[in-house]
PDB file of all heavy atoms in Angstrom:
ATOM      1  N   LYS A1304       8.289 -20.972  -6.723  1.00 93.00           N
ATOM      2  CA  LYS A1304       7.969 -20.389  -5.415  1.00 93.00           C
ATOM      3  C   LYS A1304       6.732 -21.057  -4.792  1.00 93.00           C
ATOM      4  O   LYS A1304       6.622 -21.120  -3.572  1.00 93.00           O
ATOM      5  CB  LYS A1304       7.761 -18.878  -5.524  1.00 93.00           C
ATOM      6  CG  LYS A1304       9.042 -18.107  -5.823  1.00 93.00           C
ATOM      7  CD  LYS A1304       9.954 -18.069  -4.623  1.00 93.00           C
ATOM      8  CE  LYS A1304      11.095 -17.096  -4.788  1.00 93.00           C
ATOM      9  NZ  LYS A1304      11.969 -17.068  -3.617  1.00 93.00           N
ATOM     10  N   ASN A1305       5.816 -21.565  -5.624  1.00 94.00           N
ATOM     11  CA  ASN A1305       4.661 -22.313  -5.107  1.00 94.00           C
ATOM     12  C   ASN A1305       5.110 -23.623  -4.463  1.00 94.00           C
ATOM     13  O   ASN A1305       4.535 -24.071  -3.486  1.00 94.00           O
ATOM     14  CB  ASN A1305       3.655 -22.624  -6.219  1.00 94.00           C
ATOM     15  CG  ASN A1305       2.805 -21.425  -6.573  1.00 94.00           C
ATOM     16  OD1 ASN A1305       2.712 -20.465  -5.802  1.00 94.00           O
ATOM     17  ND2 ASN A1305       2.199 -21.457  -7.745  1.00 94.00           N
ATOM     18  N   ILE A1306       6.142 -24.232  -5.040  1.00 95.00           N
ATOM     19  CA  ILE A1306       6.655 -25.514  -4.533  1.00 95.00           C
ATOM     20  C   ILE A1306       7.535 -25.286  -3.311  1.00 95.00           C
ATOM     21  O   ILE A1306       7.415 -25.979  -2.308  1.00 95.00           O
ATOM     22  CB  ILE A1306       7.455 -26.246  -5.641  1.00 95.00           C
ATOM     23  CG1 ILE A1306       6.536 -26.582  -6.825  1.00 95.00           C
ATOM     24  CG2 ILE A1306       8.103 -27.519  -5.084  1.00 95.00           C
ATOM     25  CD1 ILE A1306       7.269 -26.968  -8.092  1.00 95.00           C
ATOM     26  N   ARG A1307       8.445 -24.312  -3.405  1.00 95.00           N
ATOM     27  CA  ARG A1307       9.417 -24.048  -2.338  1.00 95.00           C
ATOM     28  C   ARG A1307       9.647 -22.547  -2.215  1.00 95.00           C
ATOM     29  O   ARG A1307      10.579 -21.994  -2.798  1.00 95.00           O
ATOM     30  CB  ARG A1307      10.732 -24.737  -2.696  1.00 95.00           C
ATOM     31  CG  ARG A1307      11.280 -25.603  -1.584  1.00 95.00           C
ATOM     32  CD  ARG A1307      12.610 -26.204  -1.927  1.00 95.00           C
ATOM     33  NE  ARG A1307      13.634 -25.587  -1.093  1.00 95.00           N
ATOM     34  CZ  ARG A1307      14.903 -25.507  -1.410  1.00 95.00           C
ATOM     35  NH1 ARG A1307      15.337 -26.000  -2.544  1.00 95.00           N
ATOM     36  NH2 ARG A1307      15.760 -24.940  -0.595  1.00 95.00           N
ATOM     37  N   PRO A1308       8.798 -21.866  -1.440  1.00 93.00           N
ATOM     38  CA  PRO A1308       8.848 -20.396  -1.364  1.00 93.00           C
ATOM     39  C   PRO A1308      10.191 -19.827  -0.907  1.00 93.00           C
ATOM     40  O   PRO A1308      10.547 -18.716  -1.268  1.00 93.00           O
ATOM     41  CB  PRO A1308       7.756 -20.045  -0.354  1.00 93.00           C
ATOM     42  CG  PRO A1308       6.917 -21.263  -0.209  1.00 93.00           C
ATOM     43  CD  PRO A1308       7.751 -22.442  -0.609  1.00 93.00           C
ATOM     44  N   GLU A1309      10.953 -20.595  -0.129  1.00 95.00           N
ATOM     45  CA  GLU A1309      12.187 -20.055   0.448  1.00 95.00           C
ATOM     46  C   GLU A1309      13.396 -20.135  -0.490  1.00 95.00           C
ATOM     47  O   GLU A1309      14.430 -19.538  -0.216  1.00 95.00           O
ATOM     48  CB  GLU A1309      12.508 -20.755   1.779  1.00 95.00           C
ATOM     49  CG  GLU A1309      13.129 -22.141   1.652  1.00 95.00           C
ATOM     50  CD  GLU A1309      12.176 -23.275   1.268  1.00 95.00           C
ATOM     51  OE1 GLU A1309      10.965 -23.027   1.063  1.00 95.00           O
ATOM     52  OE2 GLU A1309      12.651 -24.411   1.155  1.00 95.00           O
ATOM     53  N   VAL A1310      13.280 -20.880  -1.589  1.00 96.00           N
ATOM     54  CA  VAL A1310      14.444 -21.026  -2.477  1.00 96.00           C
ATOM     55  C   VAL A1310      14.698 -19.692  -3.207  1.00 96.00           C
ATOM     56  O   VAL A1310      13.780 -19.094  -3.752  1.00 96.00           O
ATOM     57  CB  VAL A1310      14.276 -22.199  -3.479  1.00 96.00           C
ATOM     58  CG1 VAL A1310      13.281 -21.896  -4.587  1.00 96.00           C
ATOM     59  CG2 VAL A1310      15.611 -22.581  -4.093  1.00 96.00           C
ATOM     60  N   PRO A1311      15.966 -19.198  -3.158  1.00 96.00           N
ATOM     61  CA  PRO A1311      16.255 -17.941  -3.841  1.00 96.00           C
ATOM     62  C   PRO A1311      16.231 -18.116  -5.361  1.00 96.00           C
ATOM     63  O   PRO A1311      16.740 -19.101  -5.883  1.00 96.00           O
ATOM     64  CB  PRO A1311      17.666 -17.575  -3.371  1.00 96.00           C
ATOM     65  CG  PRO A1311      18.095 -18.612  -2.404  1.00 96.00           C
ATOM     66  CD  PRO A1311      17.101 -19.723  -2.423  1.00 96.00           C
ATOM     67  N   VAL A1312      15.624 -17.134  -6.050  1.00 96.00           N
ATOM     68  CA  VAL A1312      15.526 -17.178  -7.508  1.00 96.00           C
ATOM     69  C   VAL A1312      16.030 -15.858  -8.091  1.00 96.00           C
ATOM     70  O   VAL A1312      15.636 -14.787  -7.638  1.00 96.00           O
ATOM     71  CB  VAL A1312      14.072 -17.415  -7.979  1.00 96.00           C
ATOM     72  CG1 VAL A1312      14.001 -17.449  -9.495  1.00 96.00           C
ATOM     73  CG2 VAL A1312      13.514 -18.706  -7.406  1.00 96.00           C
ATOM     74  N   ILE A1313      16.915 -15.977  -9.084  1.00 95.00           N
ATOM     75  CA  ILE A1313      17.416 -14.819  -9.822  1.00 95.00           C
ATOM     76  C   ILE A1313      16.800 -14.871 -11.222  1.00 95.00           C
ATOM     77  O   ILE A1313      16.883 -15.887 -11.903  1.00 95.00           O
ATOM     78  CB  ILE A1313      18.957 -14.853  -9.941  1.00 95.00           C
ATOM     79  CG1 ILE A1313      19.604 -14.816  -8.553  1.00 95.00           C
ATOM     80  CG2 ILE A1313      19.449 -13.689 -10.809  1.00 95.00           C
ATOM     81  CD1 ILE A1313      21.116 -15.088  -8.565  1.00 95.00           C
ATOM     82  N   LEU A1314      16.186 -13.765 -11.618  1.00 92.00           N
ATOM     83  CA  LEU A1314      15.585 -13.662 -12.949  1.00 92.00           C
ATOM     84  C   LEU A1314      16.443 -12.713 -13.787  1.00 92.00           C
ATOM     85  O   LEU A1314      16.677 -11.572 -13.388  1.00 92.00           O
ATOM     86  CB  LEU A1314      14.154 -13.133 -12.835  1.00 92.00           C
ATOM     87  CG  LEU A1314      13.351 -12.998 -14.125  1.00 92.00           C
ATOM     88  CD1 LEU A1314      13.087 -14.364 -14.759  1.00 92.00           C
ATOM     89  CD2 LEU A1314      12.034 -12.292 -13.863  1.00 92.00           C
ATOM     90  N   CYS A1315      16.931 -13.206 -14.927  1.00 91.00           N
ATOM     91  CA  CYS A1315      17.750 -12.382 -15.820  1.00 91.00           C
ATOM     92  C   CYS A1315      16.889 -11.925 -16.993  1.00 91.00           C
ATOM     93  O   CYS A1315      16.179 -12.730 -17.590  1.00 91.00           O
ATOM     94  CB  CYS A1315      18.932 -13.190 -16.357  1.00 91.00           C
ATOM     95  SG  CYS A1315      20.023 -13.792 -15.050  1.00 91.00           S
ATOM     96  N   THR A1316      16.949 -10.639 -17.301  1.00 86.00           N
ATOM     97  CA  THR A1316      16.081 -10.109 -18.338  1.00 86.00           C
ATOM     98  C   THR A1316      16.704  -8.926 -19.059  1.00 86.00           C
ATOM     99  O   THR A1316      17.556  -8.229 -18.501  1.00 86.00           O
ATOM    100  CB  THR A1316      14.713  -9.692 -17.750  1.00 86.00           C
ATOM    101  OG1 THR A1316      13.885  -9.200 -18.794  1.00 86.00           O
ATOM    102  CG2 THR A1316      14.872  -8.615 -16.691  1.00 86.00           C
ATOM    103  N   GLY A1317      16.262  -8.716 -20.274  1.00 79.00           N
ATOM    104  CA  GLY A1317      16.659  -7.530 -21.025  1.00 79.00           C
ATOM    105  C   GLY A1317      15.619  -6.439 -20.890  1.00 79.00           C
ATOM    106  O   GLY A1317      15.801  -5.331 -21.359  1.00 79.00           O
ATOM    107  N   PHE A1318      14.489  -6.758 -20.244  1.00 70.00           N
ATOM    108  CA  PHE A1318      13.415  -5.789 -20.050  1.00 70.00           C
ATOM    109  C   PHE A1318      13.644  -4.983 -18.785  1.00 70.00           C
ATOM    110  O   PHE A1318      14.402  -5.391 -17.911  1.00 70.00           O
ATOM    111  CB  PHE A1318      12.060  -6.505 -19.939  1.00 70.00           C
ATOM    112  CG  PHE A1318      11.672  -7.226 -21.195  1.00 70.00           C
ATOM    113  CD1 PHE A1318      11.745  -8.602 -21.249  1.00 70.00           C
ATOM    114  CD2 PHE A1318      11.255  -6.543 -22.312  1.00 70.00           C
ATOM    115  CE1 PHE A1318      11.405  -9.289 -22.404  1.00 70.00           C
ATOM    116  CE2 PHE A1318      10.910  -7.204 -23.480  1.00 70.00           C
ATOM    117  CZ  PHE A1318      10.983  -8.591 -23.528  1.00 70.00           C
ATOM    118  N   SER A1319      12.947  -3.889 -18.652  1.00 63.00           N
ATOM    119  CA  SER A1319      13.123  -3.071 -17.452  1.00 63.00           C
ATOM    120  C   SER A1319      12.551  -3.782 -16.236  1.00 63.00           C
ATOM    121  O   SER A1319      11.610  -4.571 -16.333  1.00 63.00           O
ATOM    122  CB  SER A1319      12.454  -1.711 -17.631  1.00 63.00           C
ATOM    123  OG  SER A1319      11.175  -1.702 -17.079  1.00 63.00           O
ATOM    124  N   GLU A1320      13.140  -3.477 -15.088  1.00 57.00           N
ATOM    125  CA  GLU A1320      12.744  -4.113 -13.837  1.00 57.00           C
ATOM    126  C   GLU A1320      11.266  -3.853 -13.525  1.00 57.00           C
ATOM    127  O   GLU A1320      10.565  -4.714 -13.027  1.00 57.00           O
ATOM    128  CB  GLU A1320      13.626  -3.565 -12.711  1.00 57.00           C
ATOM    129  CG  GLU A1320      13.872  -4.568 -11.628  1.00 57.00           C
ATOM    130  CD  GLU A1320      14.996  -4.153 -10.685  1.00 57.00           C
ATOM    131  OE1 GLU A1320      16.108  -3.864 -11.151  1.00 57.00           O
ATOM    132  OE2 GLU A1320      14.717  -4.132  -9.486  1.00 57.00           O
ATOM    133  N   LYS A1321      10.778  -2.661 -13.857  1.00 58.00           N
ATOM    134  CA  LYS A1321       9.365  -2.323 -13.591  1.00 58.00           C
ATOM    135  C   LYS A1321       8.422  -3.239 -14.358  1.00 58.00           C
ATOM    136  O   LYS A1321       7.430  -3.702 -13.832  1.00 58.00           O
ATOM    137  CB  LYS A1321       9.095  -0.863 -13.952  1.00 58.00           C
ATOM    138  CG  LYS A1321       9.662   0.112 -12.949  1.00 58.00           C
ATOM    139  CD  LYS A1321       9.170   1.521 -13.243  1.00 58.00           C
ATOM    140  CE  LYS A1321       9.623   2.451 -12.155  1.00 58.00           C
ATOM    141  NZ  LYS A1321      10.710   3.345 -12.558  1.00 58.00           N
ATOM    142  N   ILE A1322       8.750  -3.492 -15.602  1.00 56.00           N
ATOM    143  CA  ILE A1322       7.916  -4.378 -16.429  1.00 56.00           C
ATOM    144  C   ILE A1322       7.890  -5.772 -15.810  1.00 56.00           C
ATOM    145  O   ILE A1322       6.840  -6.376 -15.656  1.00 56.00           O
ATOM    146  CB  ILE A1322       8.455  -4.451 -17.884  1.00 56.00           C
ATOM    147  CG1 ILE A1322       8.250  -3.108 -18.582  1.00 56.00           C
ATOM    148  CG2 ILE A1322       7.773  -5.573 -18.664  1.00 56.00           C
ATOM    149  CD1 ILE A1322       8.938  -2.991 -19.926  1.00 56.00           C
ATOM    150  N   VAL A1323       9.056  -6.252 -15.427  1.00 53.00           N
ATOM    151  CA  VAL A1323       9.161  -7.594 -14.852  1.00 53.00           C
ATOM    152  C   VAL A1323       8.375  -7.675 -13.545  1.00 53.00           C
ATOM    153  O   VAL A1323       7.618  -8.606 -13.326  1.00 53.00           O
ATOM    154  CB  VAL A1323      10.644  -7.970 -14.621  1.00 53.00           C
ATOM    155  CG1 VAL A1323      10.748  -9.290 -13.880  1.00 53.00           C
ATOM    156  CG2 VAL A1323      11.365  -8.057 -15.954  1.00 53.00           C
ATOM    157  N   GLN A1324       8.529  -6.688 -12.668  1.00 57.00           N
ATOM    158  CA  GLN A1324       7.808  -6.716 -11.395  1.00 57.00           C
ATOM    159  C   GLN A1324       6.304  -6.662 -11.629  1.00 57.00           C
ATOM    160  O   GLN A1324       5.539  -7.290 -10.923  1.00 57.00           O
ATOM    161  CB  GLN A1324       8.273  -5.572 -10.499  1.00 57.00           C
ATOM    162  CG  GLN A1324       9.632  -5.866  -9.908  1.00 57.00           C
ATOM    163  CD  GLN A1324      10.206  -4.698  -9.122  1.00 57.00           C
ATOM    164  OE1 GLN A1324       9.777  -3.565  -9.267  1.00 57.00           O
ATOM    165  NE2 GLN A1324      11.191  -4.987  -8.302  1.00 57.00           N
ATOM    166  N   GLY A1325       5.886  -5.933 -12.631  1.00 52.00           N
ATOM    167  CA  GLY A1325       4.466  -5.873 -12.967  1.00 52.00           C
ATOM    168  C   GLY A1325       3.940  -7.219 -13.436  1.00 52.00           C
ATOM    169  O   GLY A1325       2.818  -7.590 -13.129  1.00 52.00           O
ATOM    170  N   LYS A1326       4.765  -7.954 -14.167  1.00 53.00           N
ATOM    171  CA  LYS A1326       4.360  -9.255 -14.697  1.00 53.00           C
ATOM    172  C   LYS A1326       4.453 -10.370 -13.664  1.00 53.00           C
ATOM    173  O   LYS A1326       3.874 -11.426 -13.838  1.00 53.00           O
ATOM    174  CB  LYS A1326       5.269  -9.649 -15.871  1.00 53.00           C
ATOM    175  CG  LYS A1326       4.918  -9.010 -17.174  1.00 53.00           C
ATOM    176  CD  LYS A1326       5.795  -9.610 -18.247  1.00 53.00           C
ATOM    177  CE  LYS A1326       5.132  -9.499 -19.596  1.00 53.00           C
ATOM    178  NZ  LYS A1326       5.934 -10.117 -20.639  1.00 53.00           N
ATOM    179  N   ALA A1327       5.219 -10.143 -12.621  1.00 48.00           N
ATOM    180  CA  ALA A1327       5.532 -11.233 -11.699  1.00 48.00           C
ATOM    181  C   ALA A1327       4.321 -11.716 -10.899  1.00 48.00           C
ATOM    182  O   ALA A1327       4.352 -12.807 -10.343  1.00 48.00           O
ATOM    183  CB  ALA A1327       6.648 -10.805 -10.752  1.00 48.00           C
ATOM    184  N   ASN A1328       3.262 -10.927 -10.848  1.00 53.00           N
ATOM    185  CA  ASN A1328       2.008 -11.369 -10.217  1.00 53.00           C
ATOM    186  C   ASN A1328       2.187 -12.006  -8.843  1.00 53.00           C
ATOM    187  O   ASN A1328       1.744 -13.115  -8.600  1.00 53.00           O
ATOM    188  CB  ASN A1328       1.272 -12.368 -11.120  1.00 53.00           C
ATOM    189  CG  ASN A1328       0.918 -11.753 -12.454  1.00 53.00           C
ATOM    190  OD1 ASN A1328       0.658 -10.559 -12.537  1.00 53.00           O
ATOM    191  ND2 ASN A1328       0.918 -12.555 -13.494  1.00 53.00           N
ATOM    192  N   GLY A1329       2.878 -11.319  -7.963  1.00 54.00           N
ATOM    193  CA  GLY A1329       2.988 -11.831  -6.603  1.00 54.00           C
ATOM    194  C   GLY A1329       4.046 -12.892  -6.406  1.00 54.00           C
ATOM    195  O   GLY A1329       4.264 -13.338  -5.301  1.00 54.00           O
ATOM    196  N   SER A1330       4.686 -13.331  -7.473  1.00 66.00           N
ATOM    197  CA  SER A1330       5.757 -14.316  -7.321  1.00 66.00           C
ATOM    198  C   SER A1330       7.055 -13.661  -7.763  1.00 66.00           C
ATOM    199  O   SER A1330       7.694 -14.078  -8.704  1.00 66.00           O
ATOM    200  CB  SER A1330       5.471 -15.562  -8.152  1.00 66.00           C
ATOM    201  OG  SER A1330       5.348 -15.194  -9.503  1.00 66.00           O
ATOM    202  N   ILE A1331       7.404 -12.591  -7.083  1.00 81.00           N
ATOM    203  CA  ILE A1331       8.560 -11.802  -7.476  1.00 81.00           C
ATOM    204  C   ILE A1331       9.847 -12.560  -7.160  1.00 81.00           C
ATOM    205  O   ILE A1331       9.985 -13.117  -6.074  1.00 81.00           O
ATOM    206  CB  ILE A1331       8.530 -10.431  -6.769  1.00 81.00           C
ATOM    207  CG1 ILE A1331       7.311  -9.639  -7.273  1.00 81.00           C
ATOM    208  CG2 ILE A1331       9.800  -9.649  -7.008  1.00 81.00           C
ATOM    209  CD1 ILE A1331       7.043  -8.379  -6.520  1.00 81.00           C
TER     210      ILE A1331
END
C-alpha cells in the first residue's frame, strides 16, 4: 500500500478480523 495505495489487497487469515485490523497499523 506504501508503493501503490490503490491496488486492492485481500488478506486471508485464521485469526479473528478484530485482531488483524488491530495489527494492520493503518494499512488495512
Side-chain angles (χ1 to χ4, degrees):
K1304 291 288 191 180
N1305 282 342
I1306 297 165
R1307 231 183 111 205
E1309 78 284 1
V1310 73
V1312 180
I1313 299 170
L1314 182 65
C1315 300
T1316 181
F1318 296 106
S1319 96
E1320 212 167 306
K1321 285 189 174 106
I1322 291 171
V1323 174
Q1324 285 174 342
K1326 280 186 155 182
N1328 300 328
S1330 59
I1331 295 171

